[in-house]
């Protein structure tokens, strides 16, 4: 499966690598190579990292802690202390090196630095009292995203996957209803 970067924040996108958490969860990070590919595809992280099993497990812990904290925020409840510890400890790790050149910004670092960057981005959005976090409106989707739309009217994590599915289902339902009525 392809990764979706629609949540508006790398930490929320990492949390979104488990699809449909309520029904039949699908983990898109089944092996260290999947994590390496996710980091490479995320625009805000170093593009060449390698993952050993221990660092892979740390990434999965960060992902689950971030999801719990984001869900706590969406549901307007106190943060889970264990999840706070994981995110804060990860954020205290090494940071990626950035360099500016005529070609633009280049970021480098190992996987621990990438995870630290992810944790820091998660802290920034979770600590922002004005950040509007929502869970996707599609029943099967549990992705949490940052709604930056005017009036905070965004309903789905992304149009390509969820929005189009909901709209197509609504269209089919209207067609069936009009055919039945005739």
């Amino acid at each position: 499966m392809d990764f979706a970067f629609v949540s508006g924040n790398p930490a929320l996108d990492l949390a979104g690598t488990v699809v449909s958490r309520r029904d039949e969860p699908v983990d898109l990070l089944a092996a260290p190579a999947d994590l390496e590919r996710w980091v490479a595809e995320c625009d805000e992280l170093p593009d060449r990292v390698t993952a050993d099993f221990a660092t892979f497990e740390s990434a999965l812990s960060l992902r689950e802690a971030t999801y719990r904290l984001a869900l706590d925020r969406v549901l307007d409840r106190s943060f889970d202390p264990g999840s706070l510890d994981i995110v804060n400890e990860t954020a205290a790790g090494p940071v990626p090196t950035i360099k500016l050149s005529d070609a633009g910004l280049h970021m480098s670092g190992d996987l621990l630095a990438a995870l630290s960057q992810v944790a820091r981005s998660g802290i920034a959005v979770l600590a922002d009292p004005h950040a509007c976090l929502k869970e996707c409106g599609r029943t099967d989707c549990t992705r949490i995203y940052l709604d930056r739309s005017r009036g905070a009217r965004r309903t789905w994590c992304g149009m390509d996957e969820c929005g189009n599915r909901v709209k197509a289902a609504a269209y089919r339902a209207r067609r069936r209803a009009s055919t039945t009525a005739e």
Side-chain angles (χ1 to χ4, degrees):
M1 282 185 107
D2 291 330
F3 299 117
F5 296 90
V6 296
S7 297
N9 179 281
L12 297 176
D13 285 327
L14 178 62
T17 59
V18 174
V19 181
S20 191
R21 288 176 181 265
R22 282 187 289 272
D23 301 325
E24 296 177 26
V26 176
D27 191 343
L28 302 180
L29 301 180
D34 297 328
L35 178 61
E36 292 170 357
R37 191 168 56 89
W38 182 86
V39 171
E41 290 179 22
C42 184
D43 289 337
E44 299 179 41
L45 298 175
D47 57 358
R48 292 187 187 101
V49 299
T50 56
D52 59 19
F53 189 73
T55 312
F56 175 67
E57 289 294 317
S58 295
L60 297 183
S61 293
L62 174 63
R63 174 185 68 186
E64 295 310 307
T66 300
Y67 178 76
R68 280 190 298 276
L69 295 175
L71 190 59
D72 289 343
R73 175 79 188 280
V74 168
L75 298 176
D76 196 29
R77 61 187 184 200
S78 297
F79 286 138
D80 172 66
S83 297
L84 282 173
D85 289 343
I86 292 169
V87 170
N88 288 328
E89 287 172 18
T90 306
V95 295
T97 302
I98 58 172
K99 291 183 181 178
L100 179 64
S101 70
D102 289 334
L105 179 72
H106 177 73
M107 188 179 296
S108 61
D110 62 5
L111 183 55
L112 287 176
L115 294 177
S116 176
Q117 183 77 5
V118 169
R120 289 167 186 253
S121 72
I123 288 171
V125 75
L126 292 169
D128 182 354
H130 303 293
C132 182
L133 294 180
K134 293 181 178 177
E135 187 176 50
C136 184
R138 185 171 67 92
T139 307
D140 296 344
C141 185
T142 55
R143 182 182 301 271
I144 296 174
Y145 63 92
L146 179 59
D147 185 355
R148 293 184 177 122
S149 66
R150 186 175 11 187
R153 293 182 176 176
R154 188 170 153 191
T155 305
W156 307 289
C157 63
M159 271 310 288
D160 289 344
E161 190 172 330
C162 293
N164 286 340
R165 285 184 185 184
V166 172
K167 287 183 173 192
Y171 173 76
R172 286 190 301 273
R174 284 192 308 274
R175 296 272 293 158
R176 276 194 302 271
S178 70
T179 303
T180 305
E182 291 173 3

